[in-house]
Amino acid sequence: MFARTSLRTARAFANAKTGATRTVVSQQRNASSQSSAESAPTWKNTATLSASTILAIGSCTWYYTQFGRTAHAMTMQEEGLHATPYPWEHEKFLKTYDHAALRRGFQVYREVCASCHSLKRIPWRTLVGTMMTVDEAKALAEENEYDTEPNNEGEIEKRPGKLSDYIPSPYKNDEAARAANNGALPPDLSLMVKARHGGCNYIFSLLTGYPEEPPAGAVVQSGLNFNPYFPGTGIAMARVLYDGLVDYEDGTPATTSQMAKDVVEFLNWSAEPEMDDRKKMGWKVMAIGSVLFALSVWIKRYKWSVVKTRKLQYNPPALTGLPNKMNPRQARR
Amino acid sequence: MAGVLSGVYNTLIRSNGVFLSTIFAGAFATEILFDTGSNAIWNRINKGRQWKDIKHRYMDAGEDDE
Amino acid sequence: MSVSRISTAVARSSPRSLRAAAPLAVSTQQQRSMADASTSHAGFTSPFHRGTGNARDTTVMPNWGKYKTGKETSNKVFQYFMVGTMGGLSALGAKNTVQDFLVNMSASADVLAQAKVEVDLATIPEGKNVIIKWRGKPVFIRHRTADEIKEAEDTKWESLRDPQPDTERVQKPEWLIMVGVCTHLGCVPIGEAGDFGGWFCPCHGSHYDISGRIRKGPAPLNLEIPAYDFPEEGALVIG
């Protein structure tokens, strides 16, 4: 058995030396002619292919129309006008807040917004070193009264504010706020830039977007004001910013848009007070990280170069004149 | 050139302990240099925007700088 | 004869034809005289011949000379530099990561802001006690009179249970500042009471003198002194 196999192999080997290429080519030709003979009626193939393509595209289309599209529960008017994108300087990758603008924005908040809107999450101490000196912030905090801890008799007294206290709210609670504002709750502004779609652009558009009078045909309920940027267009807050409303101590002209811009930047700070540090750390990490990445790519290539440039050389032993059983090639069969 | 390189190799790299110490000392120096340099760049990009650039307007002269 | 058989045969034959076509760079310098003796037994002819006749030696190491670099030192220095730089930068990153986690575990800014209490001393008249809250604990502030200072300083403190001179317990003799928690079981002592003119703990009857030292009763230690500072005249910062 073994001998016959080896013999056959030896014959094949001898054959291959001379006629291998030709044999394979003829075999290939044979195979291709066979397959074409099987698929003789081509129109059937075309029809099947076309039908399955149409079915696939059609089912995808059907699925997309059923489930893929965004569902609009509200009309465009109910969504509110989309806020204009403005080129905010502090939103650029490598820019901090303009801290002079933060200071002006806090002035606007304190003199205008704070009569209705709270800023519960901001303690006085965070103003120190971002837009105020210690003494200024302390003086502002002391203008407000806070509850003390119970004294010896268990009574709660009032004390002037400290830096560790939070900015006081204009109303005692949400119910009092609703009662004072026709049932509409002025939202807390601490995280407002993060909380509204459009962020800075939305708040700026809202503050500056009050038209002189509602456009013809717009229905405005009593007690509400028309603002195209507010979802539903009827907003309880009236226009508050008018030119010259506040006096900026640094002499910046207090136009409506300047005040809106400053207060928006301040509200962005109150929502993301860590932004300056975050951006600074961010690009440092990117710089170090890209150097590390380049180094690691080099080191990967360095470590693999041994494997990648390896050359194997094999000089097969001569087969002539050897008994078959001594031939390692044939013995392996 | 080759002399300098073989000097570097023999003094810093040959012994593993010295090589490791060099790496850590270098990392320490790099951190200081990188922080100083990157902060300088950052402050130049944001010149006039940060609190430290404008606080002199609000600090009274002679007050303690807290 | 099947297709597979033929293709196998083709595959087998290809190294031979390759060898014939492309002559390989094989060093013939190596001497193999010793090895030959061990393998040339009678009755066994090794297929791996040693280059007899015009056939090449099959086991000699080829000459890799053309792949060798001529500048070994500079290459080594460069390679170690790259590896070392990556190690150093990674160590820097690891150090900063660990540092950030540790910083994250320390007291946050709002806790630190409440850790200090400022007291206006001008509102406390001589011979009066004031109790303020600091980190949730009562703190006694006593504006001592000259008589009380003299009494506190003249006491033979060496023989007390927790011996401590008055000068160790105050920064300014007229201001005694203590944490108002009895060292026995944590009650709040009553001021201007007890046998020694200081504080008296109503829970188990510990008497403290006008320097806040334990004189009588179960308490083991004097009243604790918090860290405090007088940043300017008439102002006190505890913490």
Side-chain angles (χ1 to χ4, degrees):
Chain A
M1 179 67 193
F2 176 68
R4 234 190 302 163
T5 319
S6 350
L7 264 177
R8 219 166 19 185
T9 322
R11 233 184 300 133
F13 202 76
N15 229 0
K17 262 175 151 182
T18 50
T21 333
R22 231 182 311 144
T23 323
V24 169
V25 167
S26 69
Q27 202 72 16
Q28 270 174 348
R29 197 186 297 135
N30 194 14
S32 67
S33 69
Q34 244 175 17
S35 68
S36 69
E38 269 173 15
S39 59
T42 45
W43 67 269
K44 270 187 187 168
N45 265 357
T46 318
T48 317
L49 269 174
S50 311
S52 54
T53 310
I54 288 166
L55 183 70
I57 293 174
S59 52
C60 285
T61 316
W62 174 79
Y63 188 87
Y64 179 76
T65 39
Q66 284 288 306
F67 308 111
R69 289 178 303 169
T70 321
H72 291 279
M74 295 195 286
T75 61
M76 289 297 278
Q77 188 202 24
E78 284 165 333
E79 294 269 13
L81 201 58
H82 206 266
T84 319
Y86 293 100
W88 297 99
E89 191 72 8
H90 71 264
E91 283 186 347
K92 291 179 179 169
F93 270 136
L94 294 179
K95 290 284 187 172
T96 63
Y97 293 115
D98 183 358
H99 286 245
L102 293 186
R103 193 182 163 93
R104 291 195 298 268
F106 181 61
Q107 189 186 349
V108 173
Y109 166 76
R110 205 157 45 86
E111 294 180 12
V112 183
C113 317
S115 55
C116 296
H117 288 280
S118 57
L119 201 62
K120 286 179 196 165
R121 290 164 196 275
I122 308 298
W124 296 105
R125 62 184 159 80
T126 54
L127 304 178
V128 176
T130 48
M131 57 193 87
M132 277 184 191
T133 64
V134 180
D135 297 335
E136 285 170 328
K138 260 186 192 168
L140 277 181
E142 282 167 6
E143 285 174 11
N144 302 282
E145 284 192 329
Y146 290 86
D147 289 347
T148 56
E149 290 192 42
N151 64 4
N152 290 343
E153 284 79 41
E155 300 295 323
I156 291 174
E157 293 169 336
K158 291 287 180 186
R159 60 165 173 80
K162 293 185 286 192
L163 283 182
S164 57
D165 290 315
Y166 285 74
I167 290 178
S169 306
Y171 303 106
K172 268 182 284 183
N173 45 49
D174 284 2
E175 285 70 20
R178 282 183 198 280
N181 290 289
N182 279 332
L185 174 70
D188 185 80
L189 294 183
S190 312
L191 297 170
M192 196 43 75
V193 168
K194 276 181 180 168
R196 289 292 176 269
H197 177 72
C200 291
N201 296 323
Y202 168 72
I203 297 174
F204 184 87
S205 298
L206 191 78
L207 287 175
T208 56
Y210 286 92
E212 292 292 325
E213 53 187 48
V219 182
V220 184
Q221 286 181 323
S222 68
L224 295 184
N225 302 278
F226 181 84
N227 191 319
Y229 296 100
F230 190 75
T233 69
I235 182 169
M237 183 174 90
R239 179 178 170 183
V240 285
L241 295 178
Y242 293 94
D243 288 355
L245 187 64
V246 299
D247 278 328
Y248 283 138
E249 58 185 350
D250 57 1
T252 310
T255 60
T256 302
S257 55
Q258 176 71 42
M259 285 186 288
K261 181 249 167 198
D262 288 341
V263 84
V264 163
E265 190 156 348
F266 170 74
L267 289 178
N268 198 348
W269 170 82
S270 73
E272 296 176 293
E274 84 293 347
M275 189 195 78
D276 289 359
D277 280 339
R278 170 158 56 80
K279 285 181 179 170
K280 190 172 166 177
M281 285 315 296
W283 81 270
K284 281 188 187 184
V285 166
M286 298 298 277
I288 293 276
S290 49
V291 172
L292 262 183
F293 177 71
L295 278 173
S296 63
V297 167
W298 184 89
I299 283 171
K300 183 259 158 190
R301 288 167 60 87
Y302 169 61
K303 293 282 180 195
W304 274 80
S305 64
V306 180
V307 180
K308 294 264 184 176
T309 60
R310 181 165 60 185
K311 282 197 195 310
L312 297 180
Q313 178 168 324
Y314 174 52
N315 294 336
L319 294 171
T320 46
L322 285 170
N324 275 338
K325 63 175 180 176
M326 292 307 295
N327 190 330
R329 276 185 183 153
Q330 291 171 19
R332 227 177 52 208
R333 284 290 293 224
Chain B
M1 187 61 194
V4 175
L5 283 177
S6 62
V8 167
Y9 180 76
N10 285 328
T11 48
L12 295 182
I13 297 175
R14 192 98 179 240
S15 147
N16 188 42
V18 176
F19 185 47
L20 273 181
S21 316
T22 313
I23 288 174
F24 285 116
F28 192 68
T30 308
E31 183 178 29
I32 294 172
L33 281 176
F34 178 75
D35 272 350
T36 317
S38 56
N39 285 344
I41 295 170
W42 179 254
N43 290 335
R44 205 174 65 217
I45 292 174
N46 292 292
K47 196 173 173 57
R49 297 176 69 81
Q50 300 184 85
W51 170 245
K52 59 184 166 203
D53 299 331
I54 59 169
K55 74 174 175 186
H56 62 87
R57 291 189 223 157
Y58 309 106
M59 291 285 204
D60 296 335
E63 283 276 320
D64 56 341
D65 47 353
E66 201 179 335
Chain C
M1 195 174 264
S2 70
V3 180
S4 69
R5 170 69 42 78
I6 290 177
S7 60
T8 333
V10 173
R12 291 245 167 112
S13 74
S14 53
R16 285 171 66 88
S17 53
L18 251 180
R19 192 180 63 153
L24 293 168
V26 175
S27 158
T28 47
Q29 295 167 352
Q30 250 161 318
Q31 298 300 310
R32 282 282 185 173
S33 54
M34 293 299 285
D36 278 336
S38 63
T39 47
S40 59
H41 290 288
F44 174 78
T45 318
S46 169
F48 304 101
H49 54 82
R50 299 289 180 209
T52 49
N54 55 0
R56 275 181 294 273
D57 189 337
T58 53
T59 55
V60 290
M61 289 290 285
N63 182 10
W64 306 113
K66 75 169 177 176
Y67 300 105
K68 271 197 171 173
T69 176
K71 31 181 191 169
E72 190 183 324
T73 313
S74 64
N75 279 1
K76 260 201 291 196
V77 168
F78 178 65
Q79 287 157 11
Y80 278 115
F81 170 78
M82 295 294 268
V83 173
T85 311
M86 180 153 117
L89 285 181
S90 309
L92 210 57
K95 174 230 154 203
N96 279 318
T97 308
V98 171
Q99 194 174 7
D100 285 351
F101 273 104
L102 291 181
V103 167
N104 193 29
M105 281 183 235
S106 66
S108 56
D110 59 331
V111 173
L112 287 179
Q114 286 176 327
K116 283 178 189 289
V117 171
E118 286 183 41
V119 184
D120 185 11
L121 294 178
T123 58
I124 307 174
E126 209 171 80
K128 277 287 178 190
N129 277 343
V130 163
I131 303 174
I132 59 150
K133 282 272 173 69
W134 172 69
R135 299 185 190 176
K137 291 178 200 162
V139 170
F140 296 156
I141 304 173
R142 172 76 177 176
H143 195 169
R144 297 193 295 190
T145 62
D147 290 349
E148 288 169 345
I149 296 169
K150 189 167 167 30
E151 187 194 330
E153 285 174 349
D154 291 351
T155 308
K156 284 196 176 304
W157 57 270
E158 291 88 348
S159 60
L160 298 181
R161 183 178 301 163
D162 185 9
Q164 216 177 6
D166 188 57
T167 48
E168 251 182 45
R169 297 182 55 79
V170 290
Q171 290 181 16
K172 288 180 178 177
E174 62 268 33
W175 295 106
L176 175 66
I177 291 123
M178 304 181 296
V179 176
V181 176
C182 181
T183 53
H184 178 223
L185 284 173
C187 289
V188 178
I190 301 164
E192 296 173 2
D195 296 353
F196 299 89
W199 284 264
F200 171 70
C201 181
C203 293
H204 302 94
S206 296
H207 298 260
Y208 297 91
D209 68 6
I210 197 61
S211 188
R213 292 174 292 207
I214 179 64
R215 299 295 284 269
K216 194 176 150 189
L221 296 169
N222 303 333
L223 289 178
E224 194 192 336
I225 307 289
Y228 63 93
D229 186 29
F230 300 98
E232 55 195 271
E233 196 60 40
L236 167 70
V237 174
I238 303 170

